[in-house]
Amino acid sequence: MPITKSNTNSLKKTDLLSLTLPQLQQWFVERGEPPFRAKQLYGWLYQRLVTDFSAMTNLPQSLRSQLAQEASIGPMVVRSEQHSKDDRTRKILLELDDGKLIESVLMLYPPIGESSVRATVCVSTQAGCAFGCTFCATGQMGFDRHLTAGEIVAQVLFFARELRDAPWSAKGDREGRGRPYSSAPIDHITNIVLMGMGEPLHNYDNVLQALRILNNLDGFNLGARHMTVSTVGLVPAIRKLSQEPLQVNLAISLHAPTDELRGQTMPINKKYPLEELLAACKDYIAATGRQVTFEYVLLAGVNDTAEYAHLLSELLVPLKQFAHVNCIPVNATSADFKSPSGESIRAFRNILFEHGVSNSVRAERGDDIAAACGQLRTRFEKNRNQQ
Ligand code: SAH
Ligand code: SF4
């Protein structure tokens, strides 16, 4: 069909946040512009964090107008933003340009010991999820679609702008010593975790593209060591990830140490049972020399007994110091799972320690704003349907 005036407007704009630097250079060359425009634009998008072409003052006026016509910068609308009472957890509900809803979370961590203050974005990689884990609010929605690289990048930039405009400092009474303190303010994102809605390795190409964009030195410049991909356990994709030049952290949603138990809450276990999953993790460790985190959502009376703690240890002891367990007390969803008591969690962890398995527990946070991903959207849609 020839391009006429009436149909140019309906042509889809290029989302610049979906393009790597070489792709953006190519994009400019196709429009008769010198390739160095790409670096200039990357600076505006990822360092100055602008959202409007008119602010890009080192680009000629005519080019700025052309960009406004043909391109966009992560088009999405914030439908709801919630801050926890202590303001350390902030959650947004974003509406994508086709009306799909996704969630992203910013988590702010005060400095502990030697480690400095952190600002971590929990990013969604799909609208919905196809894997149906029974304890997960997103899993109960079913799968809508993959997110584009630009839609993944835009979530990080949203919080980067928010922190830049209003830096956060940890305030309080450190370790209960009665001495008020305030940390140096933080004005940038230090980490991202792909632990929002969706399964990152099911959307492999767009996820890797987004991570490469965020890693670019001339752009956002976030180190691969500050990025964590969490997966339900897609074995072929784990193997592929081990061969990537970009060496990000890998977290595996394990949640049970036997096939029988894992199969009850995680349907994927039928396709990729534990033996295959652990073999892929061993090969990943051999290929990368990197530690793997095993996430273990604690479900009271289901997977938190002493017996399962021993079985989990036996499974992971062969991985030696390359395995770390992150115990996660389950966040309440509409499913009937409960978090174990503090005492049960300690007992479970002590058994892991006795076997020499390194482990930690994720501090519960943001319950007052429905922290588990998928819950804000579920609530929002319920309210919308009632209106
Ligand atoms: N699909 C990926 C990443 C998104 S889920 C995965 O499954 O790993 C991120 C983490 O949150 C996973 O470990 C997941 O099992 C966990 N999770 C899901 N529902 C949860 C809930 N209700 N409470 C606590 N953690 C939950
Ligand atoms: Fe999907 Fe991960 Fe939720 Fe399972 S836990 S349903 S893989 S988002």
Side-chain angles (χ1 to χ4, degrees), residues 14-36:
T14 303
D15 180 10
L16 298 177
L17 300 187
S18 275
L19 302 183
T20 60
L21 189 57
Q23 286 172 334
L24 191 58
Q25 281 165 347
Q26 179 64 26
W27 194 85
F28 276 118
V29 169
E30 281 164 16
R31 281 154 184 79
E33 289 290 329
F36 69 79

Side-chain angles (χ1 to χ4, degrees), residues 239-256:
R239 295 189 179 282
K240 193 168 169 193
L241 191 66
S242 73
Q243 303 302 315
E244 292 288 344
L246 193 72
Q247 292 269 298
V248 299
N249 301 309
L250 176 65
I252 304 283
S253 289
L254 196 63
H255 306 331

